[in-house]
Amino acid sequence: MVQAPTLLLIDDDADDQEIFSIALQNINSLIRFVISDNCKDALEKLSKDKMFKPDFIFLDLNMPGMSGSQCLTEIKKQNRFKHVPVIIYTTSSGQRDKDETKKLGADYFLTKPTDINKLITILKKILSGEEKFVETQ
């Protein structure tokens, strides 16, 4: 039996956290899901808790304090997480953001869909490895 993945969502928006959680429950209720409200807390958890290594990191770009781009840079500096897929999960759909985050090491760029069913479909593809770099409109 394949073990359900562990995901880390770094997002300061409570509504987006809830929608993401609901989508994951629809995909597989065994998915372990950890939320950090900001980059500082996420980086602290990733560096201090040596037992915690998510299978996927979903990262919002627009947050107070440290931006998602800065956080991505810090995550990719840590050898333990170099091969952990980081999915940018943001309201942005700008090409500049897509290009910049891809250059910084993001594996996917997902503009937050307004429809939860679309989010479920995209998350299934990402978690199954069907998508290599997602750019949604």
Side-chain angles (χ1 to χ4, degrees), residues 82-93:
K82 281 192 189 247
H83 301 292
V84 174
V86 177
I87 297 89
I88 301 302
Y89 181 63
T90 183
T91 56
S92 171
S93 60

Side-chain angles (χ1 to χ4, degrees), residues 18-129:
E18 184 175 352
I19 291 166
F20 195 87
S21 177
I22 291 167
L24 289 178
Q25 286 295 310
N26 277 278
I27 294 168
N28 183 343
S29 63
L30 299 177
I31 293 174
R32 183 168 173 228
F33 176 52
V34 178
I35 298 172
S36 285
D37 292 321
N38 61 64
C39 292
K40 182 181 175 211
D41 289 345
L43 290 171
E44 190 172 298
K45 175 154 187 64
L46 290 170
S47 64
K48 286 188 177 180
D49 186 350
K50 301 299 181 198
M51 298 301 294
F52 180 65
K53 184 177 179 191
D55 297 297
F56 296 89
I57 298 173
F58 288 81
L59 175 60
D60 188 15
L61 283 183
N62 305 310
M63 290 186 286
M66 180 183 283
S67 74
S69 294
Q70 293 168 317
C71 188
L72 174 60
T73 299
E74 293 303 313
I75 290 169
K76 290 298 181 175
K77 283 181 184 176
Q78 298 182 44
N79 283 334
R80 272 183 355 120
F81 304 110
K82 281 192 189 247
H83 301 292
V84 174
V86 177
I87 297 89
I88 301 302
Y89 181 63
T90 183
T91 56
S92 171
S93 60
Q95 192 61 47
R96 183 175 173 207
D97 286 335
K98 292 175 184 180
D99 293 342
E100 177 188 358
T101 55
K102 189 172 186 178
K103 196 177 298 181
L104 293 173
D107 296 278
Y108 305 88
F109 191 101
L110 173 58
T111 300
K112 294 176 181 178
T114 55
D115 180 310
I116 192 163
N117 291 319
K118 187 172 183 181
L119 177 60
I120 290 168
T121 300
I122 294 167
L123 288 176
K124 282 181 182 177
K125 288 181 179 180
I126 291 171
L127 297 177
S128 71

